[in-house]
Amino acid sequence: MSLTLDQTAVRGKLTANAPLAPLVWFKAGGHAQWLFEPKDLADLQDFLRGLDRAVPVMALGLGSNMIVRDGGVPGVVIRLGKAFAKVAKLDDVTLDCGGGASGILVSSTARDAGIAGVEFLRSIPGTVGGFVRMNGGAYGGEVKDILIDCDVVLRSGELVPLSNADLGYTYRHSELPEGAVVVSARFKGRPGEPAAIQAEMDRISAAREASQPLRSKTGGSTFKNPEGHAAWKLVDEAGCRGLVLGGAQVSEKHTNFLLNTGEASSEDIENLGDEVRRRVKEKSGVDLEWEIQRVGQRVEGGRP
């Protein structure tokens, strides 16, 4: 699909044929046809209003839970920058968070404000927009438990508020409209002591460090936990610990993580995930569902 855009029509940064591998945790994958980093909310709205409705739009946060396929992503990828990364205390238990704010910033701001209940966000390597879209969760907490409402810019450029109920949350899923970009969200916790909140954040960080391959090029949890099962255990029981395909490997430290061991293509990583799913189905009869988003176009042989 040919797509010509006027780079002078925006106040932010609009880049053609932008490499996405540096922006995702796997450090693999193709280019975005266009990458747009809006200067502010009005810039984002104006851009989407003027963009042909047939052009696909995708939001990108920290790229921690994503495989960008080697053929790249058609249309426009939108990445929210510093203008969308602010976090402020609204009242004694509520935070107003920009869609581009990281989980670390949200949880740290909550700690300083004496707001407990959002510590789990410290352990999720992503942004508020991604948390809201995917009902992000870890260590006993989920976004559906703390979200009051959010503001999203629809594909049309219209800014609309959506309540927790509007998002129809289920496990790692929401009904956020296609092409919508989460620009802010309100999270509600409970009163707490900063020292106790920090202690809980430290506990979570230590648990992650001990169990997950945080120093590797990975994408976070690969598969959803099926009802009544732990995905990592099913993968392990199917004999997939350390399994290698091309430059990709199932982590030996945590079997629900895939690794780029060096020069893996995204095709290697996705094919390894599908092979794990096949082996788990054969061993236990359980169909593992991808938790990692896979976006863009596949390429024969995995190399553009």
Side-chain angles (χ1 to χ4, degrees):
M1 177 181 70
S2 176
L3 176 59
T4 302
L5 298 178
D6 180 4
Q7 291 165 280
T8 65
V10 299
R11 290 178 291 115
K13 187 178 179 185
L14 186 59
T15 308
N17 198 33
L20 293 179
L23 304 182
V24 298
W25 276 40
F26 273 123
K27 302 303 177 196
H31 291 59
Q33 192 170 12
W34 288 90
L35 176 68
F36 180 45
E37 299 166 279
K39 184 176 179 62
D40 51 31
L41 176 58
D43 194 29
L44 174 60
Q45 290 185 267
D46 289 345
F47 174 78
L48 287 175
R49 282 193 201 103
L51 188 64
D52 187 316
R53 294 293 185 271
V55 176
V57 169
M58 183 193 90
L60 173 66
L62 294 186
S64 59
N65 194 239
M66 179 176 288
I67 293 172
V68 173
R69 289 169 171 148
D70 300 302
V73 179
V76 179
V77 173
I78 293 174
R79 191 166 186 248
L80 302 183
K82 290 182 180 178
F84 299 87
K86 299 178 177 66
V87 180
K89 177 182 174 181
L90 280 182
D91 59 38
D92 288 348
V93 293
T94 311
L95 294 170
D96 186 25
C97 308
S102 69
I104 291 175
L105 179 59
V106 174
S107 57
S108 299
T109 305
R111 174 202 61 209
D112 295 345
I115 299 173
V118 300
E119 295 91 343
F120 72 94
L121 292 180
R122 169 69 180 79
S123 68
I124 310 175
T127 60
V128 167
F131 301 156
V132 170
R133 175 181 295 276
M134 294 294 293
N135 187 22
Y139 296 96
E142 287 184 299
V143 164
K144 72 175 180 60
D145 303 326
I146 61 171
L147 181 76
I148 300 172
D149 59 15
C150 62
D151 294 317
V152 307
V153 175
L154 300 178
R155 180 60 184 78
S156 63
E158 181 186 2
L159 178 68
V160 298
L162 295 176
S163 69
N164 188 315
D166 291 334
L167 290 164
Y169 277 135
T170 53
Y171 176 58
R172 301 294 178 269
H173 176 77
S174 77
E175 293 175 6
L176 193 71
E178 186 74 26
V181 180
V182 177
V183 292
S184 64
R186 266 64 56 190
F187 293 146
K188 182 176 182 179
R190 60 180 185 276
E193 290 297 323
I197 295 168
Q198 182 62 55
E200 174 63 6
M201 288 165 61
D202 289 345
R203 183 192 71 79
I204 288 171
S205 293
R208 281 188 76 221
E209 184 73 40
S211 65
Q212 299 177 12
L214 302 181
R215 308 275 179 260
S216 304
K217 291 184 280 191
T218 184
S221 294
T222 305
F223 305 110
K224 298 178 182 180
N225 288 318
E227 189 73 38
H229 297 277
W232 75 265
K233 192 171 184 182
L234 292 170
V235 174
D236 207 14
E237 289 171 348
C240 296
R241 184 180 292 267
L243 183 65
V244 172
L245 194 159
Q249 180 181 18
V250 176
S251 170
E252 297 191 34
K253 188 172 186 178
H254 192 312
T255 52
N256 199 25
F257 283 65
L258 302 182
L259 310 178
N260 175 357
T261 61
E263 299 300 322
S265 65
S266 288
E267 189 80 357
D268 290 341
I269 298 166
E270 188 168 359
N271 284 345
L272 177 60
D274 283 335
E275 175 61 15
V276 169
R277 294 178 67 239
R278 187 192 69 76
R279 293 191 184 196
V280 167
K281 175 70 171 177
E282 188 176 81
K283 172 70 176 178
S284 65
V286 176
D287 283 310
L288 282 181
E289 288 184 43
W290 286 92
E291 181 171 327
I292 286 178
Q293 287 182 281
R294 291 148 298 132
V295 301
Q297 300 169 324
R298 300 185 82 154
V299 172
E300 190 80 24
R303 303 287 179 184

